[in-house]
Amino acid sequence: MRSIYYSIFCLIFLSSCASITGFEEGRSNGKGNGTAIASLNYSRTPDLDTEDGDEIIDLAGAPFLEISGRYGLTEKLDFGVKVNTFLNLGANVKYQLVGDRQSPFALGTGLEFGLFGGINIWNIQVPLYTSFYPSDKLCVYVTPKYIYQTAGFGNGGANYVGANAGFLFGSRHKFGIDFAYYRVGTAESSAGLLNFGIGGKFLFGDN
């Protein structure tokens, strides 16, 4: 039983160590263009299933701020960084696979490497960015994502599987709402992780 409670504690702790915010489109910035995103988020672990079938409801929840920036290295390839008040630090790349900066549908993918507070907890994220543009001032996006997080090689880790969905409204500078649900699992237990955010996305360059 002690090992079960230890696993529960580790899972709750790990669930705040990876950023699962959204506000990302399938479109790239374009060479020489930049974007900055500032968001206020609330993250919550609503349930936890242990190996003996017990369920605990409403384990943890906390608000946090996040700031990120992204710069277009080429027309299709962006490089970005992010930081939040949970002490998550991240660096990432995004490549647009389908569409351009004016197309009504865009698809992209990428890779992100994140650290928690400069200590030996890190994660790798693989997103699939999809975005639809019903009008010039509205973007609707869905971003499925897989995250692997560990406290070091050989120590095991947690797997996150889920997605972000939301919208961005505006032609140049945009306001958005983001919702995320991820299932976080270790060898002993799993939990659902929710995140809700509101934010602004600001563009710089000839976008």
Side-chain angles (χ1 to χ4, degrees):
M1 183 62 71
R2 181 179 179 183
S3 63
I4 295 173
Y5 289 126
Y6 177 76
S7 298
I8 292 172
F9 171 79
C10 290
L11 187 57
I12 297 170
F13 179 71
L14 286 172
S15 68
S16 66
C17 298
S19 171
I20 59 168
T21 53
F23 306 102
E24 285 292 349
E25 306 173 51
R27 290 176 177 174
S28 60
N29 285 344
K31 186 175 181 179
N33 299 319
T35 56
I37 300 173
S39 62
L40 173 63
N41 303 270
Y42 184 80
S43 185
R44 189 169 190 85
T45 305
D47 62 78
L48 185 74
D49 299 315
T50 66
E51 62 183 10
D52 62 358
D54 293 334
E55 186 174 288
I56 301 174
I57 305 298
D58 291 337
L59 284 170
F64 66 97
L65 296 171
E66 183 166 282
I67 298 174
S68 65
R70 191 179 293 275
Y71 180 79
L73 299 176
T74 71
E75 283 300 308
K76 298 288 187 178
L77 181 66
D78 294 347
F79 172 77
V81 294
K82 66 171 57 175
V83 61
N84 66 33
T85 53
F86 275 163
L87 302 181
N88 290 302
L89 307 171
N92 55 73
V93 293
K94 179 171 73 175
Y95 187 82
Q96 185 171 351
L97 300 170
V98 177
D100 55 33
R101 285 187 285 156
Q102 287 76 43
S103 60
F105 170 74
L107 175 69
T109 189
L111 193 67
E112 179 169 325
F113 179 77
L115 292 172
F116 176 68
I119 61 178
N120 192 31
I121 296 177
W122 54 270
N123 64 79
I124 294 175
Q125 306 191 15
V126 183
L128 184 65
Y129 305 106
T130 62
S131 54
F132 307 86
Y133 301 86
S135 72
D136 292 339
K137 293 186 177 181
L138 178 62
C139 167
V140 180
Y141 64 85
V142 179
T143 305
K145 188 184 297 184
Y146 169 75
I147 305 172
Y148 176 75
Q149 183 166 275
T150 183
F153 293 104
N155 293 329
N159 296 287
Y160 297 58
V161 179
N164 292 72
F167 71 85
L168 294 164
F169 182 79
S171 57
R172 181 173 175 84
H173 305 309
K174 304 179 181 182
F175 168 81
I177 294 177
D178 178 75
F179 176 79
Y181 179 79
Y182 286 79
R183 198 71 192 175
V184 188
T186 67
E188 292 82 10
S189 52
S190 65
L193 181 62
L194 297 172
N195 190 85
F196 175 78
I198 56 174
K201 186 173 185 178
F202 309 96
L203 282 67
F204 307 93
D206 63 3
N207 303 63

